Amino acid sequence: MLFSKVTDSDTLSWVQNLPKTETHLHLEGALPYEELHRWKPAEFPRNPDFLEGE
């Protein structure tokens, strides 16, 4: 099991007071550009400027 129930009140308090993070995903870096184009062709043109010369 990856996470188990915390029973020690000091540990629980410490974990609850840790700074929180915002986790998000940038699709442009996570998916092949061709897949983004198939998904939303109006937003991701077939031949974008940044791919010129590749």
Side-chain angles (χ1 to χ4, degrees), residues 6-43:
V6 177
T7 55
D8 178 1
S9 64
D10 289 336
T11 304
L12 178 61
S13 177
W14 179 78
V15 169
Q16 289 175 332
N17 286 301
L18 286 171
K20 307 303 183 264
T21 65
E22 177 186 334
T23 304
H24 61 276
L25 175 69
H26 291 262
L27 289 178
E28 293 87 347
L31 295 173
Y33 191 83
E34 294 77 19
E35 191 67 33
L36 294 174
H37 172 70
R38 281 193 292 274
W39 176 51
K40 290 193 173 183
E43 288 184 42

Side-chain angles (χ1 to χ4, degrees), residues 47-54:
N47 298 308
D49 293 340
F50 67 85
L51 287 179
E52 285 184 22
E54 287 190 15

